[in-house]
Amino acid sequence: MRLRRWGTALTLLLAVTASPAGAPAGAAAASPGRTARPGAPQPLARLFDNTAVSDNSRPGATDFDGAGHSLSAQDLAAAGWSPGSVLTLDGARLGRPRTAAGQPDNVRADGQAVAVRGRGDALAFLVAGTGGTAGGTGTVRYRDGSRSSYELTAPDWRSGPLTTKAVALPHLNGAGGQSAGPVRLYAVAVPLRPGREVASVVLPGASRSAGALHVFAVAVRDTARGRTGSWAASTAGYRAVGPWTDRTLRLVVHSGAGGPGARIRIANTFAAAPVEIAAASIAVRGTGAAAKHAPVPLTFGRGRAGVRVPAGAEAFSDPAAFTVPPGTDLLVSLHLPGTVTAAPVHQEAAQLSYLSAAGSGDRTGDAGGAAYPETMSSWPFLTGVDVRGGPGSVVALGDSITDGVKSTSGANHRWPDVLAARFQAQHTLPRYGVLNHGISANRIVTDRYQGDGVSADTGGVSARNRLERDVLAQPGARTVVVFEGINDVRWGTSAEEVVAGLRALARRAHERGLRVVVATVAPCEGYPDCTAAVETRRQAVNAAVRADAGAAFDATLDFDAVLRDPAHPGRMLPGYDSGDHLHPGDAGLRALGEAVDLRALVPGRG
């Protein structure tokens, strides 16, 4: 079967049934407010009782929300979400139904039993609410006879947040024709019991008081416990570029953990249209844009040279016959055959990468660097490199200090780089990879970038809104180190809100089995907006973190104590200061990386 070839992570949409006799295409099979008694589990598509997608030629023929509105089939196709397409969203392989516009393509959750198989860390759903935010409690049944409950919430398809949507579409179809959107679909993951094989899933029951929960797809997500992250970066925004036409990006990244079977992750986060990658390669860097040896071609989807990444989705390459050396610069080259006018980027790379000339075509196989006359200081599209095997990864979730702002460009002096080198240099503890998910200007509680559309703001969505993508879905994640809060307190967020945000992050990470380590907020007196009120809020956050004593967090790191001047505790030590009084320089970042007790990052040791 095709699904068996795709693997157990995809459990989707094999058959379509018509609506009940005499019922309109969008009608629900069960009455709102009455939970259906689950029968024998069935493939999700056999349970479809509602239609969400209409053709633009008949925009009023479909009723998704009970008010005659629907999604545009043409908008979905333009985003790369064609019928039957398989999309990787936050590490889970989900797919659109293989149904034509105007045919049932989702189920209104009301206690139905769905056949789902596989082992993993989470159960992923493609969902939307109508009539408001929708959700409820469902049940996972495991092959060993045990069960667990889960809470599933789907934001409203018209008013839900753009910061967490899987895709946003520009139009709303209805009886009066087409009107301006956006409308949204969401990918939502809920935890599974570790090590147990899922047999089926019972959807939440319907509610009289809340909106209807619509489920389009469901799958078990396996975040590759058999893989270790070597390098990573977060998508910080969606920026205008170029335009780039028929060019090759040669991106320079620095490995942490080494290992065989290298694989890359390409993300089209926040985008409105798919991106074509015609070819890709990986190599150890020589000098500049030149490779030390001939680049190794990468393939996708079991042997294809390129990949089309839908809007909002990501793609993983096939594991390559390439061994990543630890602590080494790599070249990842991506050929963009079409014209790209905007791209998801990690803006503050602290590293120069390279770009071939316009119209120069596929230069991914070039060992030399002559074809790459231009440089860039951001990382577009590429968000990860991982390797087969290994013990797993530590994820550093942070802001500009974690991102390495003010460190020496190209020197890999960020504090997570120091931490990664320390893990690789020892043999007593697991030799974890360290994944840097710092974003300059990022906050815990509020969003800088609003999650949709081309924008010059590259401060990212908030830590709480990117936790799933940047931490929980990372390959082999074992521990998260949270070092954020200075931007929140500088821009008016109360200490109570920051601490509540940190505790909420910890709860969600603990639900997925991660160890949670939180660092105190570093001093910033002398920076223009670091006022006395900011210092009061910073000290209050730090007092709460220090007093936690293992209640919400598994361990704490006193980064404030590492960096502060003992004679003037609101300021950074002059020898650690980059000169702006907010960001440590190379010496300060090294002090942070060396101050961490590696044992505090290992689950089961503290």
Coordinates of all heavy atoms in Angstrom, one line a residue, residues 356-417:
S356 N 25.0 32.7 -6.1 CA 25.5 32.7 -7.5 C 24.8 33.8 -8.3 O 23.9 34.4 -7.9 CB 25.2 31.3 -8.2 OG 23.8 31.2 -8.5
A357 N 25.4 34.1 -9.5 CA 24.9 35.2 -10.3 C 23.5 34.9 -10.8 O 23.1 33.7 -11.0 CB 25.9 35.4 -11.4
A358 N 22.8 35.9 -11.2 CA 21.4 35.7 -11.7 C 21.5 34.9 -13.0 O 22.4 35.2 -13.9 CB 20.8 37.1 -12.0
G359 N 20.6 34.0 -13.1 CA 20.6 33.1 -14.3 C 21.7 32.1 -14.5 O 21.8 31.5 -15.5
S360 N 22.5 31.9 -13.4 CA 23.6 31.0 -13.5 C 23.2 29.5 -13.4 O 24.1 28.7 -13.6 CB 24.7 31.4 -12.5 OG 24.1 31.3 -11.2
G361 N 22.0 29.3 -13.0 CA 21.5 27.9 -13.0 C 22.0 27.1 -11.8 O 22.3 27.6 -10.7
D362 N 22.0 25.8 -12.0 CA 22.3 24.9 -10.9 C 23.8 24.8 -10.7 O 24.6 24.2 -11.5 CB 21.8 23.5 -11.2 CG 22.1 22.4 -10.2 OD1 22.6 22.8 -9.1 OD2 21.9 21.2 -10.4
R363 N 24.3 25.4 -9.6 CA 25.7 25.3 -9.3 C 26.0 24.5 -8.0 O 27.0 24.7 -7.3 CB 26.3 26.7 -9.1 CG 26.0 27.7 -10.2 CD 26.3 27.1 -11.6 NE 27.7 26.8 -11.8 CZ 28.5 27.6 -12.6 NH1 28.0 28.6 -13.3 NH2 29.8 27.2 -12.8
T364 N 25.0 23.7 -7.6 CA 25.1 22.9 -6.4 C 26.3 21.9 -6.4 O 26.8 21.6 -5.4 CB 23.8 22.2 -6.0 OG1 23.5 21.3 -7.1 CG2 22.6 23.1 -5.8
G365 N 26.6 21.5 -7.6 CA 27.7 20.5 -7.7 C 29.1 21.1 -7.8 O 30.1 20.4 -7.8
D366 N 29.2 22.5 -7.9 CA 30.5 23.1 -8.0 C 31.3 22.9 -6.7 O 30.9 23.3 -5.6 CB 30.3 24.6 -8.2 CG 29.9 24.9 -9.6 OD1 29.3 24.0 -10.3 OD2 30.1 26.1 -10.1
A367 N 32.6 22.5 -6.9 CA 33.5 22.4 -5.8 C 34.1 23.7 -5.5 O 34.4 24.1 -4.3 CB 34.5 21.3 -6.0
G368 N 34.4 24.5 -6.6 CA 35.0 25.8 -6.4 C 33.9 26.8 -6.1 O 32.7 26.6 -6.1
G369 N 34.4 28.0 -5.7 CA 33.5 29.1 -5.3 C 33.4 30.2 -6.3 O 32.7 31.2 -6.0
A370 N 34.0 30.1 -7.5 CA 34.0 31.1 -8.5 C 32.6 31.5 -8.9 O 32.3 32.7 -9.3 CB 34.8 30.8 -9.7
A371 N 31.6 30.6 -8.9 CA 30.3 30.8 -9.3 C 29.4 31.6 -8.3 O 28.3 32.0 -8.6 CB 29.5 29.5 -9.7
Y372 N 30.0 32.0 -7.2 CA 29.3 32.6 -6.1 C 29.9 34.0 -5.8 O 30.6 34.2 -4.8 CB 29.3 31.7 -4.9 CG 28.6 30.4 -5.0 CD1 29.3 29.3 -5.5 CD2 27.2 30.3 -4.8 CE1 28.6 28.1 -5.7 CE2 26.6 29.1 -5.0 CZ 27.3 28.0 -5.4 OH 26.6 26.8 -5.6
P373 N 29.6 35.0 -6.6 CA 30.2 36.3 -6.4 C 29.6 37.2 -5.3 O 30.2 38.2 -4.9 CB 30.0 37.0 -7.8 CG 28.7 36.4 -8.3 CD 28.7 35.0 -7.8
E374 N 28.3 36.8 -4.9 CA 27.7 37.7 -3.9 C 27.6 37.0 -2.6 O 27.6 35.8 -2.4 CB 26.2 38.0 -4.4 CG 26.2 38.8 -5.7 CD 24.8 39.1 -6.1 OE1 23.9 39.3 -5.2 OE2 24.5 39.2 -7.3
T375 N 27.5 37.8 -1.5 CA 27.4 37.3 -0.2 C 26.1 37.8 0.5 O 25.5 38.8 0.0 CB 28.6 37.8 0.7 OG1 28.6 39.2 0.8 CG2 29.9 37.3 0.2
M376 N 25.7 37.1 1.5 CA 24.5 37.4 2.3 C 24.8 37.1 3.7 O 25.6 36.2 4.0 CB 23.3 36.7 1.8 CG 23.3 35.2 2.0 SD 21.8 34.4 1.5 CE 22.1 34.4 -0.3
S377 N 24.1 37.8 4.7 CA 24.3 37.6 6.1 C 23.1 37.0 6.8 O 23.0 37.1 8.0 CB 24.7 38.9 6.8 OG 23.7 39.9 6.6
S378 N 22.3 36.4 6.0 CA 21.1 35.7 6.6 C 21.1 34.3 6.0 O 21.8 33.9 5.1 CB 19.8 36.4 6.2 OG 19.6 36.4 4.8
W379 N 20.2 33.4 6.6 CA 20.0 32.1 6.2 C 18.6 31.9 5.6 O 17.6 31.8 6.4 CB 20.2 31.1 7.3 CG 21.6 30.8 7.7 CD1 22.7 30.6 6.9 CD2 22.1 30.8 9.0 NE1 23.8 30.4 7.6 CE2 23.5 30.5 8.9 CE3 21.6 31.0 10.3 CZ2 24.4 30.5 10.1 CZ3 22.4 31.0 11.4 CH2 23.8 30.7 11.3
P380 N 18.3 32.0 4.3 CA 17.0 31.7 3.8 C 16.7 30.2 3.7 O 17.6 29.4 3.3 CB 17.0 32.4 2.4 CG 18.4 33.0 2.3 CD 19.3 32.4 3.3
F381 N 15.5 29.8 4.0 CA 14.9 28.5 3.7 C 15.5 27.4 4.6 O 14.8 26.6 5.2 CB 15.1 28.1 2.3 CG 14.3 29.0 1.3 CD1 14.9 29.8 0.4 CD2 12.9 29.0 1.4 CE1 14.2 30.6 -0.5 CE2 12.2 29.8 0.5 CZ 12.8 30.6 -0.4
L382 N 16.8 27.3 4.8 CA 17.5 26.2 5.5 C 17.3 26.4 7.0 O 17.6 27.4 7.6 CB 18.9 26.2 5.2 CG 19.7 25.0 5.8 CD1 19.3 23.7 5.2 CD2 21.2 25.2 5.6
T383 N 16.7 25.4 7.7 CA 16.5 25.5 9.1 C 17.1 24.3 9.9 O 17.0 24.3 11.1 CB 15.0 25.5 9.4 OG1 14.4 24.3 8.9 CG2 14.4 26.8 8.9
G384 N 17.7 23.3 9.2 CA 18.3 22.3 10.0 C 19.2 21.3 9.3 O 19.0 21.1 8.1
V385 N 20.2 20.8 10.0 CA 21.0 19.7 9.5 C 21.0 18.6 10.7 O 21.4 19.0 11.8 CB 22.4 20.1 9.2 CG1 23.3 18.9 8.7 CG2 22.4 21.2 8.1
D386 N 20.7 17.4 10.4 CA 20.8 16.4 11.4 C 21.5 15.1 10.9 O 21.7 15.0 9.7 CB 19.4 16.1 12.0 CG 18.4 15.5 11.1 OD1 18.7 14.5 10.4 OD2 17.3 16.1 11.0
V387 N 21.8 14.2 11.8 CA 22.6 13.0 11.4 C 21.9 11.8 12.0 O 21.1 11.9 13.0 CB 24.1 13.1 11.9 CG1 24.8 14.3 11.3 CG2 24.1 13.3 13.5
R388 N 22.3 10.7 11.5 CA 21.7 9.4 11.9 C 22.3 9.0 13.3 O 23.5 9.1 13.5 CB 21.9 8.3 10.9 CG 21.2 7.0 11.3 CD 21.6 5.9 10.3 NE 21.1 6.3 8.9 CZ 22.0 6.4 7.9 NH1 23.3 6.2 8.1 NH2 21.5 6.7 6.7
G389 N 21.5 8.5 14.2 CA 22.0 8.0 15.4 C 22.3 9.1 16.4 O 21.8 10.2 16.3
G390 N 23.2 8.8 17.3 CA 23.6 9.8 18.3 C 22.6 9.8 19.5 O 21.5 9.2 19.5
P391 N 22.9 10.6 20.5 CA 22.1 10.6 21.7 C 20.9 11.6 21.7 O 20.1 11.6 22.6 CB 23.1 11.0 22.8 CG 24.1 11.9 22.1 CD 24.2 11.3 20.7
G392 N 20.9 12.5 20.7 CA 19.8 13.5 20.7 C 20.4 14.9 20.9 O 21.6 15.1 20.7
S393 N 19.5 15.8 21.2 CA 19.8 17.2 21.1 C 19.3 18.1 22.3 O 18.3 17.8 22.9 CB 19.1 17.8 19.8 OG 19.3 17.0 18.7
V394 N 20.1 19.1 22.6 CA 19.7 20.1 23.5 C 19.3 21.3 22.6 O 20.0 21.7 21.7 CB 20.9 20.5 24.4 CG1 20.5 21.8 25.2 CG2 21.2 19.4 25.3
V395 N 18.2 21.9 22.9 CA 17.7 23.1 22.2 C 17.8 24.3 23.0 O 17.3 24.4 24.1 CB 16.2 22.9 21.7 CG1 15.8 24.1 20.9 CG2 16.0 21.6 21.0
A396 N 18.5 25.3 22.5 CA 18.6 26.6 23.1 C 17.6 27.6 22.5 O 17.7 28.0 21.4 CB 20.0 27.2 22.9
L397 N 16.6 27.9 23.3 CA 15.5 28.8 22.9 C 15.8 30.2 23.5 O 15.8 30.4 24.7 CB 14.2 28.3 23.4 CG 12.9 29.0 23.0 CD1 12.7 28.9 21.5 CD2 11.7 28.6 23.8
G398 N 16.0 31.2 22.6 CA 16.4 32.5 23.2 C 16.2 33.6 22.2 O 15.5 33.5 21.2
D399 N 16.9 34.7 22.6 CA 16.8 36.0 21.8 C 18.1 36.3 21.2 O 18.9 35.4 20.8 CB 16.2 37.1 22.7 CG 17.0 37.2 24.0 OD1 18.2 37.0 24.0 OD2 16.3 37.5 25.1
S400 N 18.5 37.6 21.1 CA 19.7 38.0 20.3 C 20.9 37.5 21.0 O 21.9 37.3 20.3 CB 19.7 39.5 20.2 OG 19.6 40.2 21.4
I401 N 20.9 37.3 22.3 CA 22.2 36.9 23.0 C 22.5 35.4 22.6 O 23.6 35.1 22.4 CB 22.1 37.1 24.5 CG1 21.8 38.5 24.9 CG2 23.3 36.5 25.2 CD1 21.7 38.8 26.4
T402 N 21.4 34.6 22.5 CA 21.6 33.3 22.0 C 21.9 33.2 20.6 O 22.7 32.4 20.1 CB 20.3 32.4 22.4 OG1 20.1 32.4 23.8 CG2 20.4 31.0 21.8
D403 N 21.3 34.2 19.8 CA 21.5 34.3 18.4 C 22.9 34.6 18.0 O 23.4 34.4 16.9 CB 20.5 35.3 17.8 CG 20.1 35.1 16.4 OD1 20.6 34.0 15.8 OD2 19.4 35.9 15.8
G404 N 23.6 35.2 18.9 CA 25.0 35.6 18.7 C 25.2 37.0 18.1 O 26.3 37.3 17.6
V405 N 24.2 37.9 18.3 CA 24.4 39.3 17.9 C 25.6 39.9 18.6 O 25.7 39.7 19.8 CB 23.1 40.0 18.1 CG1 23.3 41.5 17.9 CG2 22.0 39.5 17.2
K406 N 26.4 40.6 17.9 CA 27.6 41.2 18.4 C 28.8 40.3 18.6 O 29.9 40.7 19.0 CB 27.4 42.0 19.7 CG 26.4 43.1 19.6 CD 26.9 44.2 18.7 CE 25.9 45.4 18.7 NZ 26.4 46.5 17.8
S407 N 28.6 39.0 18.3 CA 29.8 38.1 18.3 C 30.5 38.3 17.0 O 30.0 38.8 16.0 CB 29.3 36.6 18.4 OG 28.6 36.2 17.3
T408 N 31.7 37.8 16.9 CA 32.5 37.9 15.7 C 31.9 37.1 14.5 O 31.8 35.9 14.7 CB 34.0 37.5 15.9 OG1 34.5 38.3 16.9 CG2 34.8 37.6 14.6
S409 N 31.6 37.7 13.4 CA 31.0 37.0 12.3 C 31.9 35.9 11.8 O 33.1 36.1 11.6 CB 30.6 38.0 11.2 OG 30.0 37.3 10.1
G410 N 31.3 34.7 11.6 CA 32.1 33.6 11.0 C 33.0 32.9 12.0 O 33.6 31.9 11.6
A411 N 33.0 33.3 13.2 CA 33.9 32.7 14.2 C 33.2 31.6 15.0 O 33.9 30.9 15.8 CB 34.5 33.8 15.1
N412 N 31.9 31.6 15.0 CA 31.1 30.6 15.8 C 31.4 30.7 17.2 O 31.7 29.7 17.9 CB 31.4 29.2 15.3 CG 31.1 29.0 13.8 OD1 30.0 29.3 13.3 ND2 32.1 28.7 13.0
H413 N 31.3 31.9 17.7 CA 31.5 32.2 19.1 C 30.2 32.4 19.9 O 30.2 32.9 21.1 CB 32.4 33.5 19.3 CG 33.8 33.3 18.9 ND1 34.7 34.3 18.7 CD2 34.5 32.1 18.8 CE1 35.9 33.8 18.4 NE2 35.8 32.5 18.4
R414 N 29.1 32.0 19.4 CA 27.8 32.1 20.1 C 27.9 31.1 21.3 O 28.6 30.1 21.3 CB 26.6 31.7 19.2 CG 26.6 32.3 17.9 CD 25.6 31.6 16.9 NE 25.8 32.0 15.6 CZ 26.7 31.5 14.7 NH1 27.5 30.5 15.1 NH2 26.7 31.9 13.4
W415 N 27.2 31.4 22.4 CA 27.3 30.5 23.6 C 26.8 29.1 23.3 O 27.4 28.2 23.8 CB 26.7 31.2 24.8 CG 25.2 31.2 24.9 CD1 24.4 32.2 24.6 CD2 24.3 30.1 25.3 NE1 23.0 31.9 24.8 CE2 23.0 30.6 25.3 CE3 24.6 28.8 25.8 CZ2 21.9 29.8 25.6 CZ3 23.5 28.0 26.1 CH2 22.2 28.5 26.0
P416 N 25.8 28.9 22.4 CA 25.5 27.5 22.1 C 26.6 26.8 21.3 O 26.7 25.6 21.4 CB 24.2 27.6 21.3 CG 23.6 28.9 21.8 CD 24.7 29.8 22.0
D417 N 27.4 27.5 20.6 CA 28.5 26.9 19.9 C 29.6 26.4 20.9 O 30.1 25.3 20.8 CB 29.2 27.9 19.0 CG 28.4 28.3 17.8 OD1 27.6 27.5 17.3 OD2 28.5 29.5 17.4

